Amino acid sequence: NNPLVENRIWLNCFDKNDRIKHAARKAWLLTNGNDASVDVDETPLQPPSKMYAVPLLPLLSHDDTSISSAAAAAIAHAMGMHPDSTEKNIIKLCNTYISSFPAIVEEEKPKQSSVFPEAPAPAPKKPVKKVIDTGLKKKPTTKKISSVSSSMAKITGAPAPKKVAATKKLLAKTAPVKERTLDQEALMGQFKTPSAAKKENVEADSDSKIATRMGVLLAISSLTDSSAKVKLDLPVLKIVIGFLMAFGLGDGNEAVRSASRNASRDIVAKFGSSEEAISFLLPQLESVLKTGQADESSLGPISSEKVPRSLATTDLRKEGVVVSLGSIALYLKDDTDADKIDGIIDMLLNALTTPSEEVQSSVALALSKLMKKGRTQQRIEALLNNLMTECIHGKTLASRRGAAYGISAVVKGSGIASLKKYDVVKRLEESCTSGSPSSKEGALFAIELLSSRLGILFEPYVIVLLPALLKAFSDSNDYVRAAAETTVGLIMSNLSGHGVKLVMPAVLEAFNEPEWRTKQASIHMLGSMSHCAPKQLASCLPKVVPKLTEAFSDTHPKVKSSAEEALEEICKVIKNPEISSISSTLLSALTDPANATLRALEALISTEFLHAIDAPSLSIIIPVVHRGLRDRTATTKRYAALISGNICTMVNDPRDFVPYLPVLLPDLKSTLLDPIPDVRSISAKSLGSLTRGLGEATFPDLRPWLVETLTSDEAGSVERSGAAQGLTEILVAGGAHLTENVMLKEILPLKSHPKAGTREGVLWVLTFLPSALGQAYSSLIDSSLPALLSGLADDNEVVREVALRAGRVLVKSHGKAHKDKILPSLEDGLRNEDYRIRVASLTLLGDLLSMLGGTKVAKGNADTQDDIRQAERAQAQIALVLGNETRKRVLSSLYLSRSDTAAIVRQSAVQVWKTVVSVTPRTLREILSELVDQIVSALASGDPERTQVAGRCLGDIVQKLGDQVLPEIIPVLRDSLYRGDEHTRQGVCVGLSEVISCSSKEQIIKFLDIIVKVVQDALCDDNDLVRKMASSCFQSLHQVVGARTLDEVVPALLVGMESTNETAKARALKGMTGILSVRSHELLPYIIPRLLKAPLTISHADALGSISAATSDT
């Protein structure tokens, strides 16, 4: 219900931003009763209120061009929907324009105050000084001072004006026109006569007034938009044309006049096709061209008070109306109006001499559309010849420039074939390479405008003209060089990707020429490539900038200065504001790489980028980075590698970075193998970042090269480490699936390779991959642990060191999350036959437990109160993390390692134990059951070393706990003896021997019955090794208890020897023999008399034989 809100929604329906326009159109449709699911793009908009113009008019002069353009389009579309409001609102637009139009006040002639009389005012026909010598060739019979040409006379039927003597005298006295006048105001000032300048006093203009007038003209131009569907009937058309002729074309501001000229051209082209319109427009435009005065009667209700009527204004109208005549000529009939068409074309050609770029451009646009009207096709050759002559030999800058516009218009309108048909390019090439400076400049103008007008169609001729353009760059005349620079800049901006490929080799070849002028010209052209379109710029700059930096080493000073200027030209097209702010620092690094490279890299790193890096920025940055990667200092290389990886993430299109890879990739490979770890690490991350940004397909040879370096015999540990880091980052960039596939199929199978270097390379990968891949590495833990453990047992010391390092990284990065996978492998490592694996496993177990406990592995004695408290906290934390059962198992394995046969293993185990255990006896009591089970398992392993370790551990426990542990150990040993296999029985004997050796007599006596029974049964075992171990155990028991051992064991064996059961008799005899092998001196006096007692039985005789065999050495 709010008209202003409604109006603003209508305004935004025509915004250039698609998102704003879509949202506004949807809101407009909803407010007009449409359903929310309506298709915004397909549904036509409902018309706004008829009061649409009032709130939109102020927005036409808004500072934001998007708002002013939207307001103009909104007004035009609203007019199309409300045809009855068209005239009223056009009058409003015109009045808005007039209200901001500066009034011209006629000054009264001052009274004569001097004694000398003032010169009389010139006659009205005298101000002929407005006609200037444009330099065009003039036919003797048609040379006119009046603005009405003979061609105009043909159209209007009016007689051509006669020459007068005063005019001849005035022309004779007119000073010759200078060769060049670059000041636009001075050029336009020649249309003013002194008398006119004295008479007019123009009201001060302002930017706000100009903006208002420009906004009105923008709205009028929008009426020609076909989507607006505006219809102008003849009365309204008269008002619009009359307004543009009276005010627009006579406006004192060049930009406003240009907009008016374009608006009148478009209005005539859009609404001037009907017979009625033509019958009105043609006489109207001819009248303006003849007199320079607008028909004020056609203004209708619009006030004519401010219409400018000065002589200078009439000249401006004549210039502008020519373009509109070109538009009306489009609707003239070829057969009946051929003379009129020819006359209009001649007028357009004459208007090309106007010293205004805007006028010449508008005339050329109109002229090109008339090249196929009437008899113009028959005049093409003559037109081109005249224009070529004027372009090359014209006396003034305006005439040469206008003729160049004419050539481009004629070729554009008649077709590209006319270039070859009439030798246009050949003649321009000849003029560029020979002739006067003005001829060269004119030819360059023509080439520039042909390229601008024809675009991609002119590309094939660029290659032909390239030598001439190169020569023009090195011309001695400043104006020729300036024209060459402008021409080449425009040509480059229009080149397609194929065109750049065609031009680049020739320019680069010219750079390699020994002649310094040729090289300088090539540099100028390379610098001009900064004007290429963004897509082509991205493809050519990687080749351009290295060549320019190469020129800094040239011996000729002008070549160097030209290279600097070319680089500055490239810097001018940098769109990234952050790079622009440090461009001088970057250029210093290019010109003085030895001293300024580090400073430039520091500037890049310290810059906070808020905008994407464009192609010109890349072209300046990459050479600096390239030089930094090859520097000797680590800091410079580190900075350069860091920037290399980050650039890819800051460009709009990562493909812009691809052309620089052949330059940067070899340098990054070199820094990846650098002796300094930090440089290697950053280089690897940079490669990963590039792979992530550009895709691995961009680097097809990178991963094979890394694997080859990883497994090469010639590479050292440093190179393998760098290659492993690079491969890790590339795999991570490729994703978990690629990583798993490569590791399982390519890397891990090499763990058992016969070459130590290859095995080392595998372990280097396992060193860097866990932390880089993160939690995604969990699927590879099970498959990588065997490679780690085999590396820990490797014969090569370097391989073992890398394996330990890889293990520590794995524990640190995944120990907490995957302790259930890692702990079993470490526990198995503690039982490995190779002591090196046991040491490494202890080290890794210590790292894991200290990490879980929140502490560090103890060093030294670790007996201070702080160490004890720290261990106490760690023990509680470990119990909480691992659980009670796992904690007991791990600590039991750790305690067993304290009795290892290798001293280094025992030392490591003690350090880890002290890290996580504060009070050993208490902890042993807590884990005793699990520890005894592991001891028995070790005793039963059949491995002599493990059995020995278990026995030692058992003895150590008895020494520490004494009576507290024996009631649990002795029954377990006994049960194991009766239930286990021969290895278990051997282990039980070893353990029992250690228990007896480490116990006091009183402790043994308490369990003597059980121990004696166990020893007795072991002595009678069928296995020789068990009996041997049992004999050693009997010896230990005898040493502790004394003769009582014999009294407890021997009688029972003697009874068994007399048994009728052959098995029992044999077992008893084996037991007796075993005792005699260790205690024959004490036992023989006791046994022999009993065996020789009459009657001597067979069994006693067999026993005597066995005893004699067992004691033969004693």
Side-chain angles (χ1 to χ4, degrees):
N1 297 325
N2 190 322
L4 183 59
V5 174
E6 177 186 351
N7 190 271
R8 292 299 184 259
I9 296 175
W10 176 254
L11 167 74
N12 286 296
C13 288
F14 304 95
D15 197 277
K16 292 181 179 179
N17 187 295
D18 292 336
R19 292 177 59 188
I20 296 175
K21 180 169 68 175
H22 185 274
R25 286 176 177 256
K26 186 172 184 180
W28 183 263
L29 293 172
L30 291 176
T31 55
N32 284 276
N34 288 274
D35 189 74
S37 60
V38 66
D39 189 345
V40 176
D41 298 324
E42 298 295 332
T43 306
L45 298 175
Q46 286 84 355
S49 165
K50 289 189 176 182
M51 300 296 293
Y52 61 87
V54 175
L56 289 175
L57 284 175
L59 298 178
L60 291 173
S61 58
H62 200 280
D63 293 337
D64 190 338
T65 56
S66 63
I67 294 177
S68 59
S69 299
I75 291 175
H77 282 77
M79 280 189 189
M81 294 179 178
H82 295 291
D84 55 339
S85 69
T86 302
E87 182 176 357
K88 178 181 66 175
N89 287 309
I90 283 180
I91 293 173
K92 282 183 182 179
L93 287 171
C94 296
N95 288 332
T96 302
Y97 183 102
I98 294 172
S99 65
S100 64
F101 191 82
I104 299 176
V105 181
E106 296 289 335
E107 290 183 348
E108 294 183 2
K109 183 176 179 180
K111 293 182 179 179
Q112 185 173 345
S113 59
S114 174
V115 294
F116 298 101
E118 191 179 33
K125 62 179 183 179
K126 275 286 185 86
V128 294
K129 195 175 179 181
K130 59 190 177 84
V131 179
I132 63 171
D133 181 11
T134 60
L136 289 171
K137 287 187 175 181
K138 301 176 180 59
K139 298 178 182 179
T141 58
T142 60
K143 186 174 180 182
K144 304 294 179 184
I145 302 304
S146 172
S147 60
V148 180
S149 65
S150 59
S151 58
M152 192 63 237
K154 289 180 183 179
I155 297 173
T156 61
K162 298 179 179 180
K163 299 179 183 178
V164 293
T167 303
K168 292 181 179 180
K169 292 179 181 179
L170 182 62
L171 285 175
K173 294 179 180 180
T174 303
V177 180
K178 294 182 179 179
E179 169 64 21
R180 175 176 310 277
T181 305
L182 297 179
D183 188 354
Q184 187 69 22
E185 292 185 2
L187 285 172
M188 298 306 300
Q190 58 189 320
F191 290 98
K192 279 188 178 180
T193 61
S195 59
K198 288 180 182 178
K199 280 188 176 182
E200 63 181 21
N201 179 24
V202 182
E203 179 186 350
D205 208 349
S206 65
D207 292 341
S208 61
K209 291 181 178 181
I210 293 172
T212 301
R213 302 201 299 274
M214 290 291 288
V216 171
L217 294 171
L218 180 62
I220 293 175
S221 294
S222 298
L223 300 178
T224 61
D225 186 356
S226 58
S227 64
K229 300 179 180 179
V230 176
K231 294 182 180 179
L232 296 183
D233 53 16
L234 188 59
V236 179
L237 182 62
K238 288 181 178 180
I239 294 174
V240 174
I241 293 299
F243 164 75
L244 291 173
M245 295 295 113
F247 290 96
L249 296 183
D251 199 290
N253 185 273
E254 174 64 25
V256 177
R257 282 201 310 276
S258 177
S260 300
R261 190 164 49 245
N262 294 335
S264 62
R265 178 196 64 202
D266 296 339
I267 290 290
V268 170
K270 176 70 176 177
F271 303 105
S273 58
S274 65
E275 291 291 339
E276 292 180 349
I278 293 175
S279 62
F280 159 71
L281 289 172
L282 192 58
Q284 179 86 353
L285 299 177
E286 289 173 349
S287 174
V288 174
L289 184 65
K290 183 188 301 183
T291 65
Q293 298 294 334
D295 183 7
E296 298 180 12
S297 63
S298 64
L299 292 175
I302 300 175
S303 172
S304 61
E305 181 180 351
K306 287 188 176 183
V307 174
R309 301 177 180 87
S310 66
L311 185 59
T313 306
T314 61
D315 291 335
L316 295 176
R317 287 197 186 97
K318 291 177 183 179
E319 292 172 4
V321 77
V322 173
V323 180
S324 299
L325 273 172
S327 296
I328 197 65
L330 293 173
Y331 301 112
L332 297 178
K333 296 179 180 179
D334 292 345
D335 48 356
T336 60
D337 298 322
D339 291 339
K340 289 185 178 181
I341 293 172
D342 289 343
I344 291 173
I345 290 175
D346 290 339
M347 285 188 290
L348 289 173
L349 291 172
N350 290 333
L352 286 174
T353 60
T354 304
S356 169
E357 190 90 7
E358 294 289 340
V359 173
Q360 291 173 343
S361 177
S362 299
V363 169
L365 183 62
L367 190 62
S368 64
K369 297 177 181 179
L370 299 176
M371 286 299 102
K372 294 183 181 179
K373 296 286 293 182
R375 298 186 293 263
T376 312
Q377 282 292 307
Q378 303 167 14
R379 301 177 59 195
I380 294 295
E381 184 175 4
L383 291 175
L384 279 176
N385 287 334
N386 292 336
L387 289 169
M388 286 290 293
T389 302
E390 188 65 24
C391 179
I392 295 172
H393 303 293
K395 296 181 179 179
T396 64
L397 173 66
S399 63
R400 293 196 298 274
R401 186 75 177 172
Y405 268 105
I407 292 170
S408 66
V410 172
V411 172
K412 174 71 174 178
S414 61
I416 189 71
S418 58
L419 283 175
K420 184 177 181 181
K421 183 177 181 180
Y422 303 114
D423 291 331
V424 174
V425 174
K426 182 179 179 181
R427 292 160 71 180
L428 292 176
E429 183 184 11
E430 291 174 354
S431 299
C432 272
T433 53
S434 61
S436 64
S438 60
S439 299
K440 295 178 182 178
E441 185 184 38
L444 289 169
F445 285 159
I447 295 171
E448 172 197 348
L449 295 170
L450 282 170
S451 177
S452 174
R453 187 87 47 187
L454 300 177
I456 195 172
L457 297 175
F458 193 66
E459 275 188 8
Y461 300 98
V462 172
I463 304 300
V464 178
L465 294 169
L466 194 60
L469 293 174
L470 285 169
K471 189 172 182 180
F473 264 117
S474 58
D475 196 89
S476 58
N477 187 280
D478 293 341
Y479 298 122
V480 175
R481 292 198 301 272
E485 185 174 350
T486 304
T487 302
V488 171
L490 191 139
I491 288 175
M492 294 303 171
S493 65
N494 290 331
L495 282 182
S496 65
H498 180 67
V500 171
K501 292 179 181 178
L502 291 176
V503 170
M504 184 66 71
V507 179
L508 294 179
E509 184 179 352
F511 180 86
N512 296 324
E513 292 291 329
E515 174 62 34
W516 72 268
R517 289 186 180 275
T518 307
K519 187 176 292 187
Q520 184 184 27
S522 171
I523 290 172
H524 281 302
M525 187 161 284
L526 289 175
S528 299
M529 287 189 174
S530 62
H531 299 286
C532 286
K535 188 175 181 181
Q536 281 71 48
L537 190 68
S539 64
C540 71
L541 284 180
K543 298 178 181 178
V544 170
V545 176
K547 281 293 182 183
L548 295 179
T549 55
E550 184 182 333
F552 290 128
S553 60
D554 197 90
T555 56
H556 201 283
K558 288 191 176 181
V559 174
K560 293 181 181 179
S561 62
S562 298
E564 286 191 39
E565 292 172 3
L567 284 175
E568 288 173 0
E569 284 296 315
I570 293 174
C571 288
K572 288 179 182 177
V573 298
I574 290 176
K575 296 180 180 178
N576 182 281
E578 292 84 13
I579 297 297
S580 295
S581 64
I582 60 171
S583 59
S584 59
T585 306
L586 296 175
L587 286 179
S588 298
L590 295 177
T591 56
D592 186 14
N595 300 317
T597 299
L598 180 59
R599 186 169 65 252
L601 294 174
E602 289 173 344
L604 283 170
I605 289 177
S606 61
T607 301
E608 183 178 356
F609 285 92
L610 302 177
H611 304 81
I613 295 178
D614 54 348
S617 301
L618 272 180
S619 67
I620 300 298
I621 294 173
I622 296 302
V624 179
V625 174
H626 172 59
R627 175 65 175 79
L629 289 171
R630 295 192 169 194
D631 200 82
R632 292 183 178 181
T633 59
T635 303
T636 307
K637 287 188 285 189
R638 185 165 58 246
Y639 287 169
L642 183 62
I643 294 169
S644 300
N646 289 335
I647 285 179
C648 189
T649 62
M650 293 186 289
V651 293
N652 271 330
D653 188 354
R655 289 174 296 182
D656 291 346
F657 193 68
V658 172
Y660 298 99
L661 290 179
V663 176
L664 288 184
L665 198 56
D667 296 333
L668 283 174
K669 286 181 179 180
S670 178
T671 53
L672 186 65
L673 309 181
D674 195 85
I676 301 172
D678 196 21
V679 175
R680 295 199 301 271
S681 176
I682 294 177
S683 300
K685 292 183 185 301
S686 295
L687 286 174
S689 178
L690 293 176
T691 305
R692 192 177 294 106
L694 303 175
E696 193 178 2
T698 313
F699 310 90
D701 301 326
L702 183 56
R703 180 151 55 91
W705 175 79
L706 291 170
V707 175
E708 181 183 355
T709 305
L710 202 65
T711 59
S712 174
D713 292 335
E714 299 177 358
S717 293
V718 169
E719 287 80 6
R720 292 192 187 96
S721 171
Q725 273 185 286
L727 180 61
T728 296
E729 294 295 338
I730 288 175
L731 293 179
V732 171
H737 178 71
L738 174 66
T739 303
E740 187 172 350
N741 188 42
V742 172
M743 289 298 295
L744 296 179
K745 294 183 179 180
E746 297 183 29
I747 304 300
L748 290 177
L750 300 174
K751 66 182 179 181
S752 56
H753 197 275
K755 295 181 180 179
T758 302
R759 300 195 299 273
E760 181 190 351
V762 174
L763 293 169
W764 274 120
V765 175
L766 296 180
T767 301
F768 299 112
L769 192 59
S771 55
L773 199 58
Q775 294 302 316
Y777 187 74
S778 57
S779 60
L780 292 170
I781 291 178
D782 292 334
S783 54
S784 62
L785 279 174
L788 280 176
L789 295 175
S790 63
L792 293 172
D794 202 275
D795 296 332
N796 188 287
E797 183 179 358
V798 177
V799 176
R800 293 196 302 271
E801 290 176 356
V802 178
L804 179 59
R805 182 172 180 173
R808 301 188 88 158
V809 170
L810 176 62
V811 167
K812 183 178 180 180
S813 57
H814 294 81
K816 285 185 178 180
H818 302 285
K819 54 185 178 296
D820 297 335
K821 291 183 177 181
I822 297 174
L823 268 177
S825 297
L826 297 181
E827 292 178 65
D828 292 339
L830 294 178
R831 296 187 287 270
N832 197 280
E833 295 179 357
D834 195 316
Y835 80 93
R836 290 186 289 256
I837 292 183
R838 298 201 296 273
V839 173
S841 299
L842 275 170
T843 303
L844 299 178
L845 181 62
D847 291 343
L848 178 59
L849 293 178
S850 62
M851 182 176 64
L852 296 177
T855 184
K856 294 182 179 180
V857 177
K859 295 181 181 180
N861 294 329
D863 293 333
T864 64
Q865 289 299 318
D866 290 341
D867 292 332
I868 294 173
R869 283 194 294 269
Q870 193 174 7
E872 187 72 28
R873 288 193 297 269
Q875 190 171 0
Q877 184 67 23
I878 289 170
L880 184 65
V881 175
L882 294 181
N884 195 38
E885 294 300 323
T886 305
R887 168 181 168 270
K888 287 181 179 180
R889 189 181 73 246
V890 172
L891 291 180
S892 298
S893 300
L894 181 58
Y895 195 81
L896 263 173
S897 298
R898 292 181 50 157
S899 303
D900 198 273
T901 54
I904 188 172
V905 177
R906 294 197 300 271
Q907 182 180 0
S908 298
V910 169
Q911 296 299 329
V912 176
W913 179 267
K914 288 182 177 180
T915 301
V916 297
V917 174
S918 57
V919 182
T920 298
R922 183 183 67 191
T923 305
L924 286 177
R925 287 193 296 271
E926 294 173 358
I927 67 172
L928 186 59
S929 59
E930 175 66 27
L931 180 57
V932 171
D933 289 343
Q934 289 194 21
I935 289 173
V936 172
S937 176
L939 291 172
S941 64
D943 182 3
E945 190 172 2
R946 285 192 63 198
T947 302
Q948 183 181 358
V949 170
R952 286 183 180 179
C953 182
L954 196 56
D956 185 58
I957 294 172
V958 171
Q959 281 183 339
K960 285 184 171 62
L961 300 181
D963 294 338
Q964 299 176 8
V965 73
L966 285 177
E968 294 189 28
I969 291 178
I970 299 300
V972 171
L973 293 176
R974 177 193 62 195
D975 296 341
S976 299
L977 181 70
Y978 296 140
R979 293 198 303 266
D981 57 8
E982 59 184 29
H983 297 299
T984 303
R985 298 197 298 274
Q986 292 175 25
V988 167
C989 292
V990 173
L992 190 57
S993 176
E994 290 289 341
V995 169
I996 294 171
S997 301
C998 297
S999 302
S1000 63
K1001 183 176 181 180
E1002 292 76 12
Q1003 292 171 338
I1004 294 299
I1005 289 175
K1006 291 179 182 180
F1007 300 95
L1008 187 59
D1009 293 340
I1010 299 175
I1011 294 174
V1012 167
K1013 179 61 177 171
V1014 171
V1015 171
Q1016 179 180 325
D1017 290 340
L1019 286 170
C1020 300
D1021 197 273
D1022 295 333
N1023 188 275
D1024 293 338
L1025 292 176
V1026 174
R1027 292 198 303 274
K1028 184 176 180 181
M1029 297 289 185
S1031 299
S1032 177
C1033 185
F1034 180 85
Q1035 175 75 355
S1036 300
L1037 183 61
H1038 187 273
Q1039 289 176 353
V1040 175
V1041 179
R1044 185 175 174 181
T1045 306
L1046 296 174
D1047 297 338
E1048 294 289 341
V1049 177
V1050 173
L1053 293 176
L1054 289 174
V1055 172
M1057 290 171 62
E1058 296 177 357
S1059 173
T1060 56
N1061 188 326
E1062 294 297 328
T1063 304
K1065 186 190 299 183
R1067 285 174 55 84
L1069 181 58
K1070 291 176 181 177
M1072 186 65 71
T1073 305
I1075 294 174
L1076 287 172
S1077 65
V1078 294
R1079 284 290 169 182
S1080 58
H1081 293 287
E1082 294 87 346
L1083 194 55
L1084 284 177
Y1086 179 80
I1087 295 176
I1088 296 300
R1090 287 172 173 74
L1091 293 178
L1092 294 176
K1093 184 179 178 181
L1096 186 64
T1097 63
I1098 297 175
S1099 59
H1100 286 186
D1102 293 338
L1104 287 171
S1106 299
I1107 290 170
S1108 62
T1111 58
S1112 59
D1113 296 334
T1114 60

